[in-house]
Amino acid sequence: MALLETDTQLAAVQQFTKARMADDETGHGYDHIQRVVNNVKQLLAKGTGADQLVTISAAYLHDVTDDKLVEDVNAATDELTNFLKETHFSEDQVAEILEIIANMSFSKSLNGQNAKPLPIEGQLVQDADRLDAIGAIGIARAIYFGGHFGEKLYDPEIAPRVEMTKADYRDLSNETIINHFYEKLLKLKDRMNTNAAKEIATGRQKTMLEFLDNFKDEWDGIQ
Ligand code: ADP
Ligand code: NI
């Protein structure tokens, strides 16, 4: 009975997310969510002791209240809270899911203030999300995002920014897609919370480094 309830809850969470993320054109669409959910299930399979319903639900929901996707974060959070209560999540589960999605994003770790430490469930979702920002998919998403926002592909005259606040990070006026790798994507491998994610990230890091090497050689006309 409990298992059936969990399946029904997850199906409802999936529907809720799908309805809100179908139209995204910045690389945060439902396909991203599906990959994050797949990643998190792989990490859960390593036996972490995490609560599976909370972890998988937070993976589905991690972008639905994000300030880059919704105009009114408070309204989106209220709507999500009501939905979770109606879907029979306990008060503790609702609180944990909201806490995870409010504190897991990369931009939250900027501004000098660290986001709150995450429970194991949140650490897994953060790792799963970060895995989808690196490797071949990460390369494709960065180019898709940069194209959407009119970033330059590359400009050797523009150096990657070393220290960034959240406002700097969201200021794309002097940003290039290639610099985004140095400002964020190449740093994610060492920021993974779990060893299982670190291991997957190591292979994906190689893919990005090879891409950057080849990109610069071709840019410079080196055959
Ligand atoms: P978070 O939700 O963790 O704050 P972001 O919104 O920064 O994450 O990133 C989500 C996706 O968009 C990632 O795949 C990331 O690489 C891409 N992205 C974010 N900023 C840029 C940028 N300036 N140029 C290219 N891609 C970007
Ligand atoms: Ni995400």
Side-chain angles (χ1 to χ4, degrees):
M1 192 62 201
L3 189 61
L4 207 63
E5 172 77 343
T6 301
D7 284 350
T8 311
Q9 286 171 298
L10 280 177
V13 167
Q14 183 179 18
Q15 273 316 109
F16 181 89
T17 306
K18 216 177 199 170
R20 275 152 194 81
M21 311 214 48
D23 299 333
D24 178 78
E25 291 174 356
T26 65
H28 292 88
Y30 187 68
D31 62 308
H32 162 63
I33 300 301
Q34 268 177 319
R35 292 189 302 271
V36 174
V37 169
N38 286 341
N39 290 343
V40 96
K41 285 181 179 170
Q42 262 190 44
L43 299 177
L44 279 168
K46 306 272 175 186
T48 54
D51 179 314
Q52 302 218 6
L53 175 63
V54 168
T55 308
I56 297 171
S57 299
Y60 272 117
L61 298 167
H62 77 272
D63 275 333
V64 300
T65 64
D66 196 296
D67 60 6
K68 65 185 171 288
L69 297 177
V70 299
E71 270 174 31
D72 186 341
V73 174
N74 288 334
T77 305
D78 287 348
E79 194 193 5
L80 173 59
T81 308
N82 290 336
F83 160 75
L84 289 171
K85 285 182 184 161
E86 282 163 15
T87 314
H88 300 168
F89 284 81
S90 72
E91 256 177 51
D92 284 353
Q93 289 171 326
V94 175
E96 188 179 348
I97 290 169
L98 293 178
E99 173 96 359
I100 290 170
I101 66 182
N103 288 295
M104 60 170 270
S105 89
F106 179 78
S107 47
K108 293 266 164 38
S109 68
L110 301 169
N111 273 355
Q113 86 217 11
N114 259 335
K116 277 198 190 167
L118 293 165
I120 180 66
E121 290 79 9
Q123 292 181 23
L124 292 173
V125 181
Q126 188 176 55
D127 281 356
D129 190 34
R130 289 179 168 175
L131 285 174
D132 200 53
I134 63 176
I137 292 279
I139 294 168
R141 286 183 75 208
I143 298 168
Y144 190 84
F145 179 108
H148 181 81
F149 289 106
E151 279 173 25
K152 275 189 182 177
L153 190 50
Y154 179 48
D155 183 343
E157 299 291 313
I158 304 175
R161 295 167 293 179
V162 185
E163 294 286 335
M164 279 189 296
T165 62
K166 181 169 176 178
D168 297 334
Y169 182 64
R170 292 293 182 215
D171 173 10
L172 304 178
S173 55
N174 216 19
E175 173 68 315
T176 73
I177 293 170
I178 293 298
N179 279 357
H180 184 64
F181 286 83
Y182 297 95
E183 293 170 348
K184 174 182 173 188
L185 303 183
L186 293 172
K187 295 177 178 170
L188 294 179
K189 173 176 79 71
D190 292 329
R191 298 197 186 170
M192 295 293 169
N193 302 296
T194 63
N195 286 334
K198 270 183 201 143
E199 212 170 286
I200 301 170
T202 303
R204 296 188 183 192
Q205 186 86 350
K206 262 184 64 192
T207 302
M208 291 192 292
L209 290 172
E210 270 169 26
F211 164 74
L212 291 166
D213 264 3
N214 287 326
F215 183 96
K216 285 180 189 163
D217 281 353
E218 291 173 23
W219 185 277
D220 292 336
I222 299 169
Q223 297 311 310

